[in-house]
Amino acid sequence: MKLFFHFLLFCFFTLLFNTCSAGNVTYDGRSLIIDGQHKLIISAAIHYPRSVPGMWPGLIQKAKEGGVDAIESYVFWNGHELSPGKYNFEGRYDLVKFVKLVQQAGMYMILRIGPFVAAEWHYGGVPVWLHYVPGTVFRTDSEPFKYHMQKFMTLIVNLMKKEKLFASQGGPIILAQVENEYGTYYEKFYGEGAKRYSQWAAKMAVSQNIGVPWVMCWQEDAPDPVIDTCNSFYCDQFIPNSPKKPKIWTENWPGWFKTFGARDPHRPAEDIAFSVARFFQKGGSVQNYYMYHGGTNFGRTSGGPFVTTSYDYDAPIDEYGLPRFPKWGHLKELHRAIKLTEHALLKSKPTTLSLGPSQEADVYDDGSGVCAAFLSNVDNKTDMNVVFRNVSYHLPAWSVSILPDCKNVLFNTAKVGSQASVVKMVPEKLQPSVASQCKGLKTLKWDIFEENAGIWGVADFTRNGFVDHINTTKHATDYLWYTTSIIVGENEEFLKNGSHPVLLIESKGHALHAFVNQELQGSAFGNGSNASFKFENPISLKAGKNEIALLSMTMGLPSAGGFYEWAGAGLTSVKIQGLNNGTIDLSMSSWTYKIGLKGEHLRIHKPDRLNRVNWVSTSEPPKNQPLTWYKVVVDPPSGDEPVGLDMIHMGKGLVWLNGEEIGRYWPVKTSKHQECVQECDYRGKFFQEKCLTGCGEPTQRWYHVPRSWFKPSGNILVIFEEKGGDPTKITFSKRKISGLCSLIAEDPMAYKPKPTVHLKCPKNTSISNVKFASFGNPTGRCGSYSKGHCHDPNSTSVVKKVCLGKNECAIEVTEENFDKGLCPGTSKKLAVEAACS
Ligand SMILES: *[C@@H]1O[C@H](CO)[C@@H](O)[C@H](O)[C@H]1NC(C)=O
Ligand SMILES: *[C@@H]1O[C@H](CO)[C@@H](O)[C@H](O)[C@H]1NC(C)=O
Ligand SMILES: *[C@@H]1O[C@H](CO)[C@@H](O)[C@H](O)[C@H]1NC(C)=O
Ligand SMILES: *[C@@H]1O[C@H](CO)[C@@H](O)[C@H](O)[C@H]1NC(C)=O
Ligand SMILES: *[C@@H]1O[C@H](CO)[C@@H](O)[C@H](O)[C@H]1NC(C)=O
Ligand SMILES: *[C@@H]1O[C@H](CO)[C@@H](O)[C@H](O)[C@H]1NC(C)=O
Ligand SMILES: *[C@@H]1O[C@H](CO)[C@@H](O)[C@H](O)[C@H]1NC(C)=O
Ligand SMILES: *[C@@H]1O[C@H](CO)[C@@H](O)[C@H](O)[C@H]1NC(C)=O
Ligand SMILES: *[C@@H]1O[C@H](CO)[C@@H](O)[C@H](O)[C@H]1NC(C)=O
Ligand SMILES: *[C@@H]1O[C@H](CO)[C@@H](O)[C@H](O)[C@H]1NC(C)=O
């Protein structure tokens, strides 16, 4: 015990003094060596363009509070190099500012420059213009690609050097990455050029002389000194390609991304903690959560196609910047336990002991008194009691216990001690701006601008047959009009017998609205697993000339895959069925094209360009009307909670606030016939489809509007609605942690600290009510606990006494605090649900 205390003290001082002093970074087979010291690194991915500068300090701080040492980000080439040699490092793309904030927080930075990144980001981060530089093939031994890649990487490296941001210069950057997930899955598409390219990329990176190591993930043949690293849900079994290289996990996925139309992925906190503990148990040295804060794909930056505007990722910090409980809290406790073992882990080689068929201990003990052990049970069903050093330990299935002194269990990955939270989106009506209220306007004033269905202004070009959508728009817009016309004779039978001809369309993607004579006839779309789709809808035709206008849309350019930049989109076949002639094929007819929409072209979402069209004012904006722009001037929502725009009553489109791009909205529902889970069993290997929810629900209802985009009044909200919705039902919603829960079992054998219910409300709020408290054998989940047969009737008053009015409170789960003689022989728990306000 005394020893343990000294040990803790020792760790406390090492923790105190090892905060990120700069220095050259090298490595050996065990770990990175920073300024001469071996270190274990826990890292958190936060992509700077997926939040806003106003959020960066808070996000970085929450990562630090969560026990993280380093922030990791990709560099987003196509956000920086808008056209060849024309660069953007402003606003969300202010990379230097982001890295400096990491440095100011006393944290390390891992910079994955790529510049190919995948990342569910449009075109995998590579600029679209590069595809049109003659002779370019992405990610292989292609001269123009290598030329532009090297030019951009050198630019980024020089920028970091100029600002002295590499650790070797006293900065925070300790690792850099070149390329991304190439070897294992994608190299095979590129034949002989692949190897030449990956070896070239490695050499080119090393020649940049940055004084810190380079990594390549999923690149088993990464040449020395580049370190090959692992990306997966588990990396404990990963072995780098040389015993001289440390074991690095560049992507541990604590959740997964979402696509429009698909269900919500979740990964349980217990399983993430298990994977991380196993990694360090088995000699891991750097572990990065991809993502720790996923954030938002603002504007049209998402890739896929079909990746949602939200990139929440079920990450430890949610899209809006709030810690996700219990995930964030559970991992924080895990990090603390790992840090307490760091000295032992780096000092000695492990001894592996078998404790059972699927149970083992890894003991880091060099005999000098510094000892740490990890006891694991990888059985996916059975809890086990194991004996380690003559002491018996209970090991839940699929869990790791961490013993920083080889005696006492400080943390078990399956025992969640952290509070859970009840998070609400609290609606608040759009309020007319104070300025307009002064003029006597109490109701919202809407301005409307209607787009033409089809060609506006001068047509871009006409040709027989179809062009490729992406080749034509080059991602300057999501929209491309394909228009043609047909003459219907007076003698067509359908005009007499009351039937409707059927329009049959095939498209390579991604989505489509079909108009005939300015009327919307129907829509169709692909999805994240297959962008292609078919459209089949009866249409209204009249005798004489009929205008057919098909609005084809991209929903995020592809972000990965062999030769992904060549994947096409747009129409491949258009036919009409049910005419006297039978089915007529319009595919080779004369088609006239228009790129984008008029409002888009005039950039009327920009405050300084608003009056380039004639808006029509009304207090009753039209509902269910396609191709309509809406504009309204509003006040910010009250308070300071993060804000989402509730678009559940709208169809599909784009939305901006004060000229800032919120993104694509589309509350498309997932199928209710798919399978969803009520409760996710954390035990057993996780895979993306394991714990899905949201069947039959809108894929994305709320769209994050960063607080820093609001002005005190006069905020201009501009919406482009493609197919029809009810704008009067749009609201802001404030994201609030409205309640906290904790369910903790007593453990008479527990070493100090005893199991404790610990509740902490968000800043500036306190516990205003105890909605539920039961010491006994309560059951259920946060928000729906219920009492069991064993219950101390004084539970609520005990908890109230300790917690009411406090921002945070703690109650040890011991009989001493409750009814001493309660239900003898039953092992008891305390469940609490409290409200914060
Ligand atoms: C890093 O190494 C270089 C070359 O060996 C040396 O000049 C420099 O001072 C070192 N930097 C630090 C911070 O130790
Ligand atoms: C475990 O107990 C045995 C005898 O019961 C003893 O010989 C041994 O030294 C003990 N081991 C440890 C690690 O305490
Ligand atoms: C995506 O569309 C294909 C048909 O193109 C369908 O088979 C598949 O089930 C869809 N996937 C989802 C997730 O809806
Ligand atoms: C994708 O969807 C299209 C149209 O729905 C279908 O024809 C095609 O077979 C699908 N492809 C795959 C790989 O599922
Ligand atoms: C796009 O255009 C390029 C030439 O610029 C052509 O090689 C390619 O095949 C086109 N892609 C599609 C899908 O049509
Ligand atoms: C009406 O005429 C069309 C075109 O000849 C034919 O395809 C359709 O079956 C007819 N419908 C009825 C109800 O007779
Ligand atoms: C229908 O067929 C006739 C005779 O082949 C042809 O002259 C006419 O153009 C066709 N009509 C349409 C709408 O294709
Ligand atoms: C549990 O492990 C067994 C044996 O390895 C395996 O067959 C089974 O699929 C696993 N079950 C789950 C739910 O992971
Ligand atoms: C939160 O508390 C700080 C002081 O701790 C105070 O300045 C601030 O006004 C409070 N904010 C709100 C929204 O109550
Ligand atoms: C409940 O609290 C009351 C008042 O403090 C006390 O008299 C009583 O003994 C308590 N009951 C139990 C079961 O602890």
Side-chain angles (χ1 to χ4, degrees), residues 54-292:
M55 290 171 72
W56 292 346
L59 294 174
I60 293 166
Q61 202 52 44
K62 276 196 192 80
K64 187 170 175 137
E65 263 173 54
V68 163
D69 310 302
I71 302 296
E72 179 269 330
S73 182
Y74 281 128
V75 175
F76 293 83
W77 186 3
N78 58 14
H80 291 299
E81 192 169 359
L82 305 179
S83 56
K86 187 179 163 235
Y87 298 103
N88 169 33
F89 287 95
E90 303 285 303
R92 298 204 309 277
Y93 293 94
D94 193 343
L95 174 61
V96 168
K97 180 174 187 171
F98 184 78
V99 179
K100 286 189 171 170
L101 284 168
V102 171
Q103 180 174 32
Q104 280 159 27
M107 298 175 84
Y108 296 122
M109 180 84 208
I110 297 175
L111 199 62
R112 298 210 286 161
I113 302 176
F116 170 81
V117 298
E120 290 76 62
W121 185 266
H122 65 288
Y123 239 35
V126 182
V128 176
W129 55 256
L130 185 50
H131 180 50
Y132 298 97
V133 171
T136 305
V137 182
F138 291 5
R139 304 183 78 197
T140 188
D141 190 12
S142 149
E143 286 308 324
F145 185 75
K146 291 192 303 182
Y147 170 79
H148 286 282
M149 171 171 167
Q150 176 163 5
K151 186 169 162 224
F152 180 70
M153 175 169 279
T154 307
L155 179 101
I156 295 297
V157 164
N158 288 344
L159 181 62
M160 296 297 110
K161 281 183 178 168
K162 186 176 134 233
E163 301 285 345
K164 303 216 180 313
L165 292 174
F166 288 108
S168 48
Q169 306 172 287
I173 304 172
I174 54 168
L175 269 187
Q177 176 176 292
V178 58
E179 247 294 334
N180 183 60
E181 294 188 344
Y182 187 58
T184 312
Y185 291 95
Y186 297 115
E187 231 174 57
K188 60 172 181 277
F189 294 105
Y190 296 95
E192 297 214 319
K195 277 278 165 277
R196 289 199 302 271
Y197 167 68
S198 64
Q199 300 296 306
W200 167 84
K203 277 208 196 80
M204 185 271 284
V206 171
S207 74
Q208 300 276 350
N209 249 323
I210 59 175
V212 310
W214 287 92
V215 301
M216 291 177 100
C217 55
W218 280 359
Q219 193 71 47
E220 284 161 24
D221 59 357
D224 297 346
V226 178
I227 307 165
D228 59 317
T229 68
C230 182
N231 291 355
S232 183
F233 288 113
Y234 306 92
C235 283
D236 48 300
Q237 302 301 317
F238 174 77
I239 301 170
N241 66 18
S242 155
K244 292 186 187 137
K245 296 179 185 177
K247 182 161 154 177
I248 295 180
W249 191 355
T250 27
E251 292 189 19
N252 180 5
W253 307 307
W256 200 248
F257 61 88
K258 186 156 81 161
T259 55
F260 282 112
R263 293 159 290 176
D264 255 338
H266 302 280
R267 186 177 181 194
E270 294 93 330
D271 179 61
I272 307 164
F274 170 81
S275 70
V276 176
R278 282 288 291 170
F279 180 70
F280 285 105
Q281 170 175 3
K282 292 294 171 192
S285 68
V286 177
Q287 189 270 156
N288 177 52
Y289 296 102
Y290 183 101
M291 303 294 299
Y292 192 78

Side-chain angles (χ1 to χ4, degrees), residues 486 492-494 499-504 541 575-586:
I486 60 161
E492 282 289 346
E493 188 60 28
F494 77 86
S499 76
H500 285 279
V502 175
L503 180 61
L504 300 168
L541 291 175
K575 293 176 183 168
I576 298 179
Q577 202 178 52
L579 300 175
N580 290 359
N581 279 11
T583 299
I584 61 164
D585 190 343
L586 301 176

Side-chain angles (χ1 to χ4, degrees), residues 632-819:
V632 67
V633 182
V634 293
D635 267 354
S638 59
D640 57 5
E641 298 89 353
V643 179
L645 192 65
D646 184 352
M647 299 299 270
I648 186 82
H649 297 287
M650 296 298 283
K652 179 177 181 300
L654 296 169
V655 56
W656 298 262
L657 183 85
N658 295 328
E660 303 282 0
E661 39 184 20
I662 296 171
R664 298 188 186 97
Y665 68 86
W666 189 20
V668 59
K669 284 191 177 160
T670 62
S671 161
K672 54 174 175 252
H673 305 298
Q674 289 180 307
E675 244 180 88
C676 278
V677 295
Q678 284 301 314
E679 214 151 329
C680 180
D681 186 352
Y682 70 85
R683 299 173 306 173
K685 276 218 155 128
F686 183 78
F687 48 96
Q688 318 59 308
E689 294 86 17
K690 185 173 172 186
C691 297
L692 301 170
T693 63
C695 290
E697 285 170 28
T699 318
Q700 188 179 349
R701 174 172 180 170
W702 290 280
Y703 297 81
H704 183 206
V705 190
R707 274 282 177 184
S708 59
W709 286 357
F710 285 98
K711 300 186 287 181
S713 75
N715 297 280
I716 304 167
L717 188 65
V718 175
I719 300 152
F720 172 66
E721 170 58 48
E722 297 163 8
K723 59 180 196 170
D726 183 352
T728 63
K729 296 217 170 94
I730 295 174
T731 66
F732 286 126
S733 292
K734 299 189 289 182
R735 193 166 175 87
K736 278 189 178 169
I737 294 184
S738 61
L740 301 173
C741 293
S742 185
L743 191 157
I744 304 284
E746 68 171 352
D747 181 0
M749 303 296 292
Y751 177 72
K752 249 184 149 22
K754 294 279 184 198
T756 301
V757 159
H758 184 205
L759 302 174
K760 187 175 193 316
C761 289
K763 230 196 249 158
N764 273 11
T765 64
S766 57
I767 295 170
S768 55
N769 189 16
V770 174
K771 291 179 162 174
F772 181 93
S774 176
F775 179 73
N777 62 353
T779 54
R781 289 191 297 157
C782 183
S784 59
Y785 290 132
S786 53
K787 286 174 208 160
H789 63 80
C790 172
H791 169 71
D792 176 352
N794 280 2
S795 302
T796 303
S797 62
V798 171
V799 173
K800 277 190 169 165
K801 205 165 145 196
V802 180
C803 294
L804 272 189
K806 306 242 174 73
N807 169 258
E808 101 183 84
C809 67
I811 305 164
E812 285 192 353
V813 186
T814 58
E815 290 201 344
E816 285 71 41
N817 282 335
F818 293 91
D819 181 352

